[in-house]
Structure formats: C-alpha cells, structure tokens
Amino acid sequence: MYEKFDVVVHPVSELRGVLTAQPSKNYTTRYLIAAALSGTETLVKGVATSEDSHALQECLKTWGAALTPEGRDMRVKGFGSTPLDQQTLNPHNAGAVARFLMALAGLTSHTKFITDYPDSLGKRPHGDLLKALESLGAKTTSQDGKLPIEIWGNLQGGKVSISAQLSSQYTSGLIFLAPLLPEGLEITLLGDIKSPGPLKQTIETLRVFGVKVEHADDLRTITIPGGQQYHAPEVTVPGDYPGSSALLSAAAVMPGEVVVHNLRENDLQGERLSIDVLKSMGADITRDGSTVTVRGGKPLHAVVTDGDLFTDAVQALSASAASASGQTTWENVYTLRLKECDRISDTRAELLKLGIEASETEDSLSIVGKEQIEGGIVLDGHGDHRMIMMLSILGMRASKPITITGAHHIRKSYPEFFQHMQGLGAKFDFIEL
C-alpha cells in the first residue's frame, strides 16, 4: 500500500464473507500503558497495529519501557512509577495517548509534549486536564491549553476535581496516575459526564492489573489509594467495536451476509451498542457468543438516540442512517466536534455533497435517508479515519464511483480496513499521492 493515497470506491451489489475483528485500539492503549506502569514484565496479546498504537509505543520507549514484538503480541518491561525525566514525547495525532501521558507526566520532574499534526491534535483542547494537574501542585505551560505543552510534576496526590464535559480522556489519565502517587487520588467529576464507557474501560484495566479502585455507581467520584503497583503477567486485547461498527453498518446496508468473530458480548466498549442501534433500525443481526452475523439489505428506518453512548460508532452508523427511511438524529454528541475533524459539521458537509439531506445543532446531527446515491464525485476525508470509513460505505451503494481524499489516514485506527472490506467483496482503486 502507498504511504499516502486517495481511494476510489466502486459500487458493488453485495458484501459476503467472514472476518475476525481487529484488536481494540482503546484496550491496546490502556493495556500497553498499564504494562509500562508495571515494574515487571507483561505479555500483551493481540496488540492493535494502528498509528495510534505505534505512537504510544514510541512514547513509552522514550520514557524507558522495553517493548519487544512477538508476532501480533508485545512483551513489555515497564518503568513502573519512574518514567525517565526531561524527555520530549510526540503522540503524533493520538488524542487519548496525549492526554493519558500528560497526566502520567505528573510522575516526572519535567516532560514536554509536541505534535507533528498541528492542524488536528494541535487544535484539540487539554486545558481542563492541565488545570487539574496544577491543582495537585504541577506547573504547566501551553498554548491556551493546546500543544506544545510542558509539565513539571513530582506529584504526591490528594483530592482533585476535573470537568468531564469535553472528554473522558482527562479523567482516564488521572486514573492511571493515581495508584502510583504516594497519597493516591480522590477524583470528583464535574458537569455532564461524557462517554462513560471509556472510563469504565480504564477502571477495568486497573483491576486487570491488580489495582484497587472504588467509585460511585454514576462515576461522579473515583477513589484510588496510593502506593500500589501494576502487575499482570499476561493480558489479551479484545476485539475492536468502533472499527467493527463500520463492518456491521456496511453489512446492514448492502445485500449479502457478513460474519464477524471476536466481538465479546459482555464488553465495556460503548460502541458495542452499534449492534443494538442497527437492530432498532431494522437490520437483521444475530449473535452467538462472540460471533455476530448480519444478513444485509433489509429495509432500515430512522431512529433518534443518544450518540454519546457510542461516540466512535456515530459516523459508521451515519452511513446506515443515510440508507434508512426517515430522519435519524444523533443527540448529545457535541464532543464529536473535538475529534480529528468536526465530526458534526464536516460529516454534514460531505453528506450534502452526495445529495443526502443533513442538518445540525451545536450537539446533534440529523440525517435523512436517501434511497439512491448518484456518486461520481470527490469527497474530503478530512484526515479522519472514521469519516473515511463512513464515506467508503456510502460509496459502495452509490450509482457511480466516488473518490475519497487522504484515505491513508485510515491507518490511525484501522490499517486493514480496505483489505477487510475487499475480502467481503468491496472494490477499491488506490491513487498514490
């Protein structure tokens, strides 16, 4: 595959085949961080190969962890509570990686964060996290809460409050930090708690690594005693629901039958709700343990639902909404504006180019389904992996091919997306840039 490329998506009549879901990007990030925070060795089985995963691995090595690939697995010898001081970390375009590690910089005397994606991660806010670290005694400098950022830590712990309205990633970073501080942390979340699923994934990760955590049922308060150690000889990364939501949405829209393995049933990834959403739209989906089967081409109808519960599946499901009768509305999704692109306004813009009626408010996106999509145009991928997946699904059912610019950005979360879709019958041409 070319380093940089556009993709031409050709119309197809059906999708059919069997796939195994890729390893979870979110759990890969969490397990590798927890392994690095362990003073012992951990085998992390089934590591995601995405750009975000590679960005994290690069940062952890800079801080002193030893990471040894063993096929799709990774053996990690961690630095425990003492990452190397006076280092510069570049998380590239990985927002969760940046925020988790910014919190963990509280273990160091000084860490600097930069990015070579100034127009994406460079524009995303981190101020709420920096304020929380400062309340614990850290000193920080930033560009109005944005990168580049420097943090002087050596924190002891205590009580801290943090806004949960823009991102759960700030709180997850503090959760990772807490057990390694002498006094631990008593965390209070302020405002509406966005994306609670990822917070639960972080708490689950700590418990997998033997760390004690207490929290209120509504996650409003989280208490983690200090002086603990991360330890787990071996962990296995589950399948990825956000990426698989694109497979399931494509399978629901197109005639045929698609089977996806490695999607565990009792999973804390909020995007597993994409299965329920597609069912509520009329899709024929069944589950047998960790295997999900979609018999596609059934008539779909619109829904109105809270998209914050499955944030990273909203764009994939928007491809189904564009195929459904009536107007679908994703409510409570303001945080989509703070991703790799503005996933509300930019998604609406691309849908309008295809003749699909779409509207927006500050925190919602509405899409009116369209039976026929003409195609034959160029669409902007906006440097966003999830935008590229959505547009690819729409292109498969268009009358004429569509071209998506900057399709190489798919590698951020799902580098094998196009190959997996080709295995199901999709047809693409790749244009080197």
Side-chain angles (χ1 to χ4, degrees):
M1 189 69 72
Y2 305 122
E3 181 179 355
K4 294 183 178 182
F5 62 89
D6 295 341
V7 65
V8 179
V9 185
H10 293 274
V12 293
S13 59
E14 69 170 21
L15 295 177
R16 189 175 298 276
V18 180
L19 284 173
T20 297
Q22 69 166 355
S24 165
K25 177 174 81 80
N26 291 341
Y27 271 103
T28 291
T29 298
R30 285 161 172 77
Y31 283 1
L32 288 179
I33 286 176
L37 294 174
S38 168
T40 56
E41 190 173 87
T42 304
L43 179 64
V44 183
K45 302 187 72 173
V47 170
T49 59
S50 63
E51 288 181 345
D52 280 13
S53 175
H54 292 308
L56 173 62
Q57 293 172 38
E58 180 183 310
C59 291
L60 295 178
K61 289 177 182 177
T62 299
W63 257 352
L67 282 71
T68 306
E70 297 182 2
R72 291 296 293 263
D73 305 337
M74 185 72 66
R75 193 169 296 278
V76 182
K77 179 64 170 69
F79 44 69
S81 60
T82 56
L84 295 175
D85 279 325
Q86 308 295 332
Q87 301 300 311
T88 297
L89 304 185
N90 182 356
H92 300 294
N93 201 24
V97 171
R99 290 159 174 172
F100 295 170
L101 299 186
M102 284 178 197
L104 289 169
L107 297 170
T108 72
S109 62
H110 175 245
T111 302
K112 182 176 182 179
F113 293 86
I114 61 173
T115 181
D116 48 357
Y117 285 81
D119 294 327
S120 186
L121 182 57
K123 293 182 177 180
R124 295 174 71 175
H126 315 285
D128 289 339
L129 174 57
L130 299 183
K131 289 177 184 176
L133 292 172
E134 289 169 357
S135 75
L136 290 167
K139 176 186 174 185
T140 74
T141 62
S142 69
Q143 307 300 310
D144 191 26
K146 299 179 176 65
L147 292 162
I149 289 171
E150 295 187 63
I151 298 171
W152 290 263
N154 288 335
L155 304 181
Q156 297 300 303
K159 296 182 178 181
V160 62
S161 297
I162 188 162
S163 171
Q165 291 192 218
L166 293 183
S167 176
S168 66
Q169 294 168 354
Y170 309 145
T171 306
S172 281
L174 294 175
I175 291 171
F176 277 119
L177 170 67
L180 298 178
L181 298 178
E183 299 174 15
L185 287 178
E186 295 181 29
I187 306 170
T188 300
L189 278 65
L190 305 176
D192 294 334
I193 298 176
K194 299 298 183 182
S195 306
L199 279 180
K200 294 177 182 177
Q201 294 169 35
T202 304
I203 291 169
E204 180 194 28
T205 298
L206 264 65
R207 289 173 172 159
V208 167
F209 278 78
V211 174
K212 295 179 181 178
V213 184
E214 297 179 359
H215 62 84
D217 291 342
D218 62 0
L219 299 177
R220 185 63 62 185
T221 59
I222 303 169
T223 302
I224 305 172
Q228 300 189 68
Q229 293 183 338
Y230 287 83
H231 177 70
E234 182 177 303
V235 292
T236 300
V237 176
D240 184 72
Y241 270 99
S244 295
S245 67
L247 303 178
L248 301 176
S249 182
V253 166
M254 301 296 300
E257 181 174 299
V258 173
V259 178
V260 184
H261 296 300
N262 195 33
L263 292 175
R264 67 183 188 183
E265 188 167 6
N266 298 316
D267 197 285
L268 293 178
Q269 297 175 70
E271 288 73 19
R272 67 180 172 79
L273 293 174
S274 59
I275 295 172
D276 297 330
V277 174
L278 288 169
K279 282 183 179 180
S280 70
M281 298 177 81
D284 182 356
I285 301 181
T286 57
R287 175 190 284 280
D288 181 9
S290 61
T291 297
V292 177
T293 301
V294 185
R295 297 170 183 86
K298 303 293 190 296
L300 302 179
H301 54 79
V303 296
V304 177
T305 190
D306 184 349
D308 186 57
L309 300 175
F310 45 88
T311 308
D312 283 340
V314 166
Q315 279 181 296
L317 293 172
S318 292
S320 292
S323 306
S325 61
Q327 177 174 289
T328 292
T329 298
W330 311 122
E331 298 178 326
N332 191 28
V333 292
Y334 174 78
T335 57
L336 289 179
R337 295 192 183 277
L338 307 174
K339 302 294 184 178
E340 284 75 1
C341 69
D342 184 333
R343 289 183 181 165
I344 295 179
S345 292
D346 292 339
T347 297
R348 175 173 174 263
E350 300 311 311
L351 292 174
L352 291 174
K353 292 177 187 177
L354 287 166
I356 298 168
E357 184 181 340
S359 58
E360 64 180 274
T361 67
E362 184 179 28
D363 66 351
S364 73
L365 174 65
S366 296
I367 301 165
V368 177
K370 185 177 177 65
E371 188 173 347
Q372 299 288 336
I373 297 176
E374 181 68 16
I377 62 174
V378 176
L379 299 173
D380 188 347
H382 291 273
D384 188 328
H385 49 127
R386 306 214 184 276
M387 177 78 78
I388 295 162
M389 292 182 220
M390 181 195 76
L391 297 177
S392 297
I393 298 168
L394 294 173
M396 292 175 205
R397 73 176 191 88
S399 300
K400 300 176 184 177
I402 68 166
T403 299
I404 305 170
T405 63
H408 54 279
H409 290 288
I410 199 74
R411 298 189 185 110
K412 185 176 192 299
S413 69
Y414 199 164
E416 295 178 307
F417 173 75
F418 292 119
Q419 292 91 323
H420 282 179
M421 293 305 307
Q422 284 175 319
L424 298 176
K427 296 179 180 178
F428 307 111
D429 290 328
F430 303 99
I431 304 171
E432 185 176 14
L433 299 180

